[in-house]
Amino acid sequence: MENILAFIQNNIQIIYIVVLSVFLGIEVIGRVPAVLHTPLMSGANAIHGVVIIGAIIVMGKVEPGNYISLIIGFLAVVLGTLNVVGGFVVTDRMLEMFKKKK
Amino acid sequence: MGFNLLTLFYLIGSVTFIMGLKMLSHPETARKGNLLAAFGMILSIFGTIFLYEDNGTPLHNYPWIFGALMIGTLAGVMAAKKVKMTAMPEMVSLFNGMGGACAALISIVEFRHITAPFSLPGWHVLLSNNDSAGLYIPIMLGLIIGSISFAGSMIAWGKLNGRINDLSFKGQQAFNIVLFLAMLLVSGYLIGWLDSANYLLFYVVFIAAIVYGVLFVLPIGGADMPVVISLLNSFTGVAAACAGFLYHNQVMLTGGILVGAAGTLLTTLMCRAMNRSLWNVLIGSFGGNTAIAGAAGVAGSYKEISITDAAVVMAYAHKVIIVPGYGLAVAQAQHTCHELELLLQEKGVEVTYAIHPVAGRMPGHMNVLLAEADVSYDKLLEMEVANEQFRSTDVVLILGANDVVNPAAKTDPASPIYGMPILEVEQAKTIIVNKRSMKPGYAGIENALFFQPKTSMLFGDAKAALQKLVAEIKNL
């Protein structure tokens, strides 16, 4: 119990961010029309590509001689970039076709 | 100074993600929203590369970082530009898997660091803040969730492009639950007793999570893949947030949690469109077997219609509604379909499209597809509107749709799709169904609609059939 309370105390700002973001995430797409479900999913997919920042930090901190970590980190950055770049480009391609209509 | 500037960049990044998501949910602003979020992402990425400091030391290994960024960008752009509109859902699944794998790999590297704190100076600083749980928990969670998301997305990708078939074995559900609990137990043990624990257990958890991800998605039917992808999408969001927790990085936290929450809501919205609960989609996967058994009741004779007859019926109708489905997407027939629509309109026929919310392989799939072919927005009727119109419709042309027009959803409580709202096409005067064969649809059930007296079948690939129809109508 003591530990749990200490954990909450130590990370209180993060916990606030998490709780508020949960509500925000639900509210912000609350009334999305069915037409936009696929692009929205794709856009959200690109946004969670933000995980790449973690990969970059990992990479940038690895000691130059630590090849195993370097290789794993390298792979992580490549995959993260794929997620971000591919995600945004695919979403844009989908939405491009919508735009011509109006 | 630089590091403080980075916090500002992260703040801007977080705001662009929130606004981007908001704008993505409105048709007029969607594209700008996507670009805005992309801008925030670029700012956060380059800010991190150049401004991030770890206890005062900037990042290094720039050649590696830029090399990886270049490879990822090139491959990402090429894949995203080359993919056909029909394969969009697969692509999203694939990219989602990459994100999940990225999160899992981060956890692996970080674990390697904390288990060797003294050989790598600088790292034990993190450990000495008496908040080891704050470090181990996100590492384990990121590993598990990221791996499940990666493995699951890969299976979903394979299923959508037809490389992987549904597979389930006896007791799979129980096995999955045991596997999941074992994973949690071992993780708990690692978190609590890391000092004395065997580090190999970490990799056992990693492999168990991969296996779990595979087994979790394997038995779920292809028709439910959109729901699964959306769910895995929110998983990856949470995995990203775990990594954000690890680095106390606000932009990763907000981005990840936003997607986690929005993705979960989107998943439930999709389930609701099929009138099923998420639980039912995930656990009810075994319905696939009973579904085929339930089909025995529906059999009988169907009648075929020739291209010429179909052309005449449609050209002299007052009102035609086209119901597109996955068959249209597979055949890439959206342009020919639009051509048919224009041609009929010239002849004075009123043509609209009835869009079932889950037609195709993803909600909104049909809208995206028809938009590509320049079909005007106001021609697309949502299900409720379309259902009011069928009564006064002369011809309904069904192009490769099946389950979304199956009356069993309304009449047969034993049917696995019972309760799903459908397009009530049987109210129209004539129904023409274009399919490649009499094979049942994705849910694996027979469709009584095809055996009704006013239904006629027009067999063949949607594109070929539509081309012939167009040619035939031109000659009338």
Short mmCIF file of all heavy atoms in Angstrom, two decimals, chain A residues 15-48:
data_model
loop_
_atom_site.label_atom_id
_atom_site.label_comp_id
_atom_site.label_asym_id
_atom_site.label_seq_id
_atom_site.Cartn_x
_atom_site.Cartn_y
_atom_site.Cartn_z
N ILE A 15 0.31 10.81 -14.17
CA ILE A 15 -1.00 10.19 -13.98
C ILE A 15 -2.11 11.17 -14.38
O ILE A 15 -3.09 10.79 -15.02
CB ILE A 15 -1.15 9.69 -12.54
CG1 ILE A 15 -0.18 8.52 -12.34
CG2 ILE A 15 -2.58 9.24 -12.25
CD1 ILE A 15 -0.01 8.07 -10.92
N TYR A 16 -1.90 12.45 -14.04
CA TYR A 16 -2.88 13.46 -14.47
C TYR A 16 -2.98 13.50 -16.00
O TYR A 16 -4.06 13.52 -16.57
CB TYR A 16 -2.50 14.84 -13.95
CG TYR A 16 -3.20 15.19 -12.66
CD1 TYR A 16 -2.57 15.04 -11.44
CD2 TYR A 16 -4.51 15.67 -12.68
CE1 TYR A 16 -3.20 15.35 -10.25
CE2 TYR A 16 -5.15 15.98 -11.50
CZ TYR A 16 -4.51 15.82 -10.28
OH TYR A 16 -5.15 16.13 -9.13
N ILE A 17 -1.82 13.52 -16.65
CA ILE A 17 -1.82 13.57 -18.12
C ILE A 17 -2.58 12.39 -18.68
O ILE A 17 -3.42 12.52 -19.57
CB ILE A 17 -0.37 13.57 -18.67
CG1 ILE A 17 0.36 14.84 -18.26
CG2 ILE A 17 -0.38 13.44 -20.19
CD1 ILE A 17 1.78 14.92 -18.81
N VAL A 18 -2.31 11.18 -18.12
CA VAL A 18 -2.95 9.97 -18.62
C VAL A 18 -4.46 10.07 -18.47
O VAL A 18 -5.22 9.87 -19.42
CB VAL A 18 -2.40 8.72 -17.89
CG1 VAL A 18 -3.25 7.51 -18.21
CG2 VAL A 18 -0.96 8.47 -18.28
N VAL A 19 -4.90 10.42 -17.25
CA VAL A 19 -6.35 10.46 -17.00
C VAL A 19 -7.03 11.47 -17.90
O VAL A 19 -8.04 11.17 -18.56
CB VAL A 19 -6.62 10.78 -15.51
CG1 VAL A 19 -8.10 11.00 -15.29
CG2 VAL A 19 -6.11 9.65 -14.63
N LEU A 20 -6.46 12.67 -17.99
CA LEU A 20 -7.09 13.70 -18.81
C LEU A 20 -7.07 13.31 -20.29
O LEU A 20 -8.04 13.54 -21.01
CB LEU A 20 -6.39 15.05 -18.60
CG LEU A 20 -6.56 15.63 -17.19
CD1 LEU A 20 -5.79 16.93 -17.05
CD2 LEU A 20 -8.03 15.86 -16.86
N SER A 21 -5.96 12.69 -20.72
CA SER A 21 -5.87 12.30 -22.13
C SER A 21 -6.91 11.24 -22.49
O SER A 21 -7.42 11.22 -23.61
CB SER A 21 -4.48 11.76 -22.46
OG SER A 21 -3.53 12.76 -22.30
N VAL A 22 -7.19 10.34 -21.53
CA VAL A 22 -8.21 9.32 -21.80
C VAL A 22 -9.53 9.99 -22.12
O VAL A 22 -10.18 9.71 -23.14
CB VAL A 22 -8.36 8.36 -20.60
CG1 VAL A 22 -9.61 7.51 -20.77
CG2 VAL A 22 -7.13 7.47 -20.49
N PHE A 23 -9.93 10.93 -21.26
CA PHE A 23 -11.22 11.59 -21.49
C PHE A 23 -11.18 12.41 -22.78
O PHE A 23 -12.13 12.42 -23.55
CB PHE A 23 -11.57 12.48 -20.29
CG PHE A 23 -12.06 11.69 -19.13
CD1 PHE A 23 -11.22 11.37 -18.08
CD2 PHE A 23 -13.37 11.22 -19.11
CE1 PHE A 23 -11.67 10.61 -17.01
CE2 PHE A 23 -13.82 10.45 -18.05
CZ PHE A 23 -12.97 10.15 -16.99
N LEU A 24 -10.06 13.08 -23.00
CA LEU A 24 -9.92 13.90 -24.19
C LEU A 24 -10.02 13.04 -25.46
O LEU A 24 -10.73 13.39 -26.40
CB LEU A 24 -8.57 14.61 -24.13
CG LEU A 24 -8.36 15.72 -25.15
CD1 LEU A 24 -9.40 16.80 -24.94
CD2 LEU A 24 -6.97 16.30 -24.99
N GLY A 25 -9.32 11.90 -25.43
CA GLY A 25 -9.33 11.02 -26.59
C GLY A 25 -10.73 10.57 -26.94
O GLY A 25 -11.09 10.47 -28.11
N ILE A 26 -11.51 10.30 -25.91
CA ILE A 26 -12.88 9.84 -26.17
C ILE A 26 -13.74 10.99 -26.67
O ILE A 26 -14.49 10.86 -27.63
CB ILE A 26 -13.47 9.22 -24.88
CG1 ILE A 26 -12.74 7.90 -24.59
CG2 ILE A 26 -14.96 8.99 -25.03
CD1 ILE A 26 -13.09 7.30 -23.25
N GLU A 27 -13.60 12.17 -26.04
CA GLU A 27 -14.42 13.31 -26.41
C GLU A 27 -14.12 13.79 -27.83
O GLU A 27 -15.00 14.11 -28.60
CB GLU A 27 -14.18 14.48 -25.44
CG GLU A 27 -14.88 14.31 -24.11
CD GLU A 27 -16.37 14.11 -24.27
OE1 GLU A 27 -17.00 14.85 -25.05
OE2 GLU A 27 -16.91 13.19 -23.62
N VAL A 28 -12.82 13.81 -28.14
CA VAL A 28 -12.39 14.50 -29.33
C VAL A 28 -12.90 13.83 -30.62
O VAL A 28 -13.17 14.49 -31.61
CB VAL A 28 -10.84 14.65 -29.30
CG1 VAL A 28 -10.15 13.56 -30.04
CG2 VAL A 28 -10.43 16.00 -29.82
N ILE A 29 -13.09 12.51 -30.59
CA ILE A 29 -13.61 11.87 -31.80
C ILE A 29 -15.06 11.42 -31.61
O ILE A 29 -15.60 10.66 -32.38
CB ILE A 29 -12.76 10.65 -32.22
CG1 ILE A 29 -12.87 9.52 -31.19
CG2 ILE A 29 -11.33 11.01 -32.43
CD1 ILE A 29 -12.76 8.17 -31.82
N GLY A 30 -15.67 11.94 -30.54
CA GLY A 30 -17.02 11.49 -30.15
C GLY A 30 -18.03 11.40 -31.27
O GLY A 30 -18.78 10.43 -31.36
N ARG A 31 -18.07 12.39 -32.14
CA ARG A 31 -19.15 12.37 -33.12
C ARG A 31 -18.64 12.22 -34.55
O ARG A 31 -19.06 12.90 -35.46
CB ARG A 31 -19.99 13.64 -32.98
CG ARG A 31 -21.07 13.46 -31.92
CD ARG A 31 -21.84 14.73 -31.77
NE ARG A 31 -20.92 15.84 -31.52
CZ ARG A 31 -21.32 17.10 -31.39
NH1 ARG A 31 -22.59 17.41 -31.51
NH2 ARG A 31 -20.44 18.05 -31.16
N VAL A 32 -17.75 11.28 -34.74
CA VAL A 32 -17.18 11.09 -36.07
C VAL A 32 -18.19 10.34 -36.95
O VAL A 32 -18.78 9.36 -36.52
CB VAL A 32 -15.84 10.33 -35.98
CG1 VAL A 32 -16.00 9.00 -35.28
CG2 VAL A 32 -15.23 10.14 -37.35
N PRO A 33 -18.44 10.86 -38.17
CA PRO A 33 -19.35 10.13 -39.07
C PRO A 33 -18.69 8.85 -39.57
O PRO A 33 -17.47 8.78 -39.69
CB PRO A 33 -19.57 11.12 -40.22
CG PRO A 33 -18.41 12.05 -40.17
CD PRO A 33 -17.95 12.11 -38.74
N ALA A 34 -19.52 7.84 -39.86
CA ALA A 34 -19.00 6.53 -40.28
C ALA A 34 -18.07 6.65 -41.49
O ALA A 34 -17.11 5.89 -41.61
CB ALA A 34 -20.16 5.60 -40.60
N VAL A 35 -18.35 7.65 -42.34
CA VAL A 35 -17.53 7.85 -43.54
C VAL A 35 -16.05 7.97 -43.18
O VAL A 35 -15.18 7.54 -43.91
CB VAL A 35 -17.94 9.17 -44.23
CG1 VAL A 35 -17.36 9.24 -45.61
CG2 VAL A 35 -19.42 9.36 -44.21
N LEU A 36 -15.80 8.59 -42.05
CA LEU A 36 -14.41 8.91 -41.70
C LEU A 36 -13.76 7.87 -40.79
O LEU A 36 -12.64 8.07 -40.34
CB LEU A 36 -14.35 10.29 -41.05
CG LEU A 36 -14.51 11.46 -42.02
CD1 LEU A 36 -14.58 12.77 -41.28
CD2 LEU A 36 -13.37 11.50 -43.01
N HIS A 37 -14.44 6.77 -40.52
CA HIS A 37 -13.87 5.78 -39.61
C HIS A 37 -12.50 5.29 -40.08
O HIS A 37 -11.55 5.25 -39.30
CB HIS A 37 -14.82 4.59 -39.44
CG HIS A 37 -15.88 4.84 -38.42
ND1 HIS A 37 -16.87 3.93 -38.14
CD2 HIS A 37 -16.11 5.90 -37.62
CE1 HIS A 37 -17.66 4.43 -37.20
NE2 HIS A 37 -17.22 5.62 -36.88
N THR A 38 -12.42 4.92 -41.35
CA THR A 38 -11.14 4.38 -41.85
C THR A 38 -10.03 5.42 -41.81
O THR A 38 -8.96 5.15 -41.26
CB THR A 38 -11.31 3.79 -43.25
OG1 THR A 38 -12.33 2.80 -43.19
CG2 THR A 38 -10.03 3.15 -43.74
N PRO A 39 -10.25 6.63 -42.38
CA PRO A 39 -9.18 7.62 -42.29
C PRO A 39 -8.82 7.97 -40.84
O PRO A 39 -7.65 8.16 -40.53
CB PRO A 39 -9.77 8.85 -42.98
CG PRO A 39 -10.87 8.35 -43.82
CD PRO A 39 -11.39 7.11 -43.18
N LEU A 40 -9.80 8.00 -39.98
CA LEU A 40 -9.52 8.35 -38.59
C LEU A 40 -8.65 7.28 -37.94
O LEU A 40 -7.68 7.57 -37.25
CB LEU A 40 -10.82 8.51 -37.80
CG LEU A 40 -10.63 8.85 -36.32
CD1 LEU A 40 -9.99 10.21 -36.16
CD2 LEU A 40 -11.94 8.82 -35.58
N MET A 41 -8.98 6.02 -38.22
CA MET A 41 -8.18 4.94 -37.66
C MET A 41 -6.75 5.04 -38.19
O MET A 41 -5.78 4.89 -37.45
CB MET A 41 -8.78 3.59 -38.06
CG MET A 41 -8.10 2.42 -37.39
SD MET A 41 -8.27 0.93 -38.32
CE MET A 41 -9.94 0.48 -37.94
N SER A 42 -6.65 5.33 -39.47
CA SER A 42 -5.34 5.44 -40.09
C SER A 42 -4.56 6.63 -39.52
O SER A 42 -3.36 6.54 -39.27
CB SER A 42 -5.53 5.58 -41.60
OG SER A 42 -4.31 5.67 -42.24
N GLY A 43 -5.26 7.74 -39.30
CA GLY A 43 -4.61 8.92 -38.73
C GLY A 43 -4.14 8.65 -37.31
O GLY A 43 -3.02 9.00 -36.93
N ALA A 44 -4.99 7.99 -36.53
CA ALA A 44 -4.61 7.65 -35.16
C ALA A 44 -3.41 6.71 -35.18
O ALA A 44 -2.50 6.82 -34.36
CB ALA A 44 -5.79 6.99 -34.44
N ASN A 45 -3.41 5.81 -36.15
CA ASN A 45 -2.31 4.87 -36.32
C ASN A 45 -0.99 5.63 -36.54
O ASN A 45 0.03 5.30 -35.95
CB ASN A 45 -2.64 3.97 -37.52
CG ASN A 45 -1.51 3.04 -37.89
OD1 ASN A 45 -0.96 2.37 -37.03
ND2 ASN A 45 -1.15 3.02 -39.15
N ALA A 46 -1.06 6.69 -37.35
CA ALA A 46 0.15 7.48 -37.59
C ALA A 46 0.57 8.19 -36.31
O ALA A 46 1.76 8.28 -36.01
CB ALA A 46 -0.11 8.49 -38.70
N ILE A 47 -0.40 8.67 -35.55
CA ILE A 47 -0.07 9.45 -34.35
C ILE A 47 0.63 8.58 -33.30
O ILE A 47 1.57 9.01 -32.66
CB ILE A 47 -1.33 10.14 -33.78
CG1 ILE A 47 -1.74 11.28 -34.71
CG2 ILE A 47 -1.05 10.70 -32.38
CD1 ILE A 47 -3.00 11.99 -34.31
N HIS A 48 0.21 7.31 -33.15
CA HIS A 48 0.91 6.52 -32.14
C HIS A 48 2.32 6.16 -32.61
O HIS A 48 3.10 5.62 -31.82
CB HIS A 48 0.09 5.33 -31.66
CG HIS A 48 -0.09 4.20 -32.64
ND1 HIS A 48 0.94 3.66 -33.36
CD2 HIS A 48 -1.19 3.50 -32.98
CE1 HIS A 48 0.47 2.69 -34.11
NE2 HIS A 48 -0.82 2.58 -33.91
#
